[in-house]
Amino acid sequence: MTPTQFSFSSAFILGLAGLAFHRTHLLSALLCLEGMMLSLFIALALWALQFESTSFSTAPMLLLAFSACEASTGLALLVATARTHGTDRLQNLNLLQC
């Protein structure tokens, strides 16, 4: 495993660990998801450059478009929950409570 591959895989694992273990606020969960998506984007872009193939060059752009949609949806949910519940703490967002 090259140092470049190790750094991007460790960035993805750190984002995943942050999402799994540090779930206090919705904003921190969204930031962990964004970090995971950015590490995947850079890894896919470097992979396409490494193989010098034009067929793989559209995959990072597609992933970046989905990442932008995910970020805008997450921010919309953050604003909606902050308005309805008054906070973005994830323990207050139980779906069984009305």
Side-chain angles (χ1 to χ4, degrees):
M1 179 180 279
T2 64
T4 307
Q5 291 173 344
F6 177 73
S7 64
F8 292 122
S9 63
S10 64
F12 182 80
I13 295 297
L14 282 174
L16 188 65
L19 185 64
F21 297 126
H22 188 66
R23 294 182 296 181
T24 55
H25 294 282
L26 182 59
L27 185 61
S28 64
L30 290 175
L31 284 174
C32 289
L33 281 174
E34 194 65 30
M36 289 169 56
M37 291 298 285
L38 285 176
S39 68
L40 281 177
F41 167 72
I42 294 173
L44 268 176
L46 287 178
W47 186 55
L49 284 175
Q50 185 180 16
F51 285 128
E52 297 175 358
S53 175
T54 58
S55 63
F56 293 125
S57 63
T58 59
M61 294 313 251
L62 187 65
L63 183 71
L64 191 63
F66 283 135
S67 174
C69 293
E70 176 257 332
S72 65
T73 304
L75 286 176
L77 286 172
L78 178 69
V79 169
T81 56
R83 285 184 180 171
T84 57
H85 296 311
T87 184
D88 69 334
R89 291 186 58 86
L90 289 176
Q91 291 184 356
N92 295 341
L93 300 179
N94 192 356
L95 291 177
L96 298 177
Q97 297 173 351
C98 293

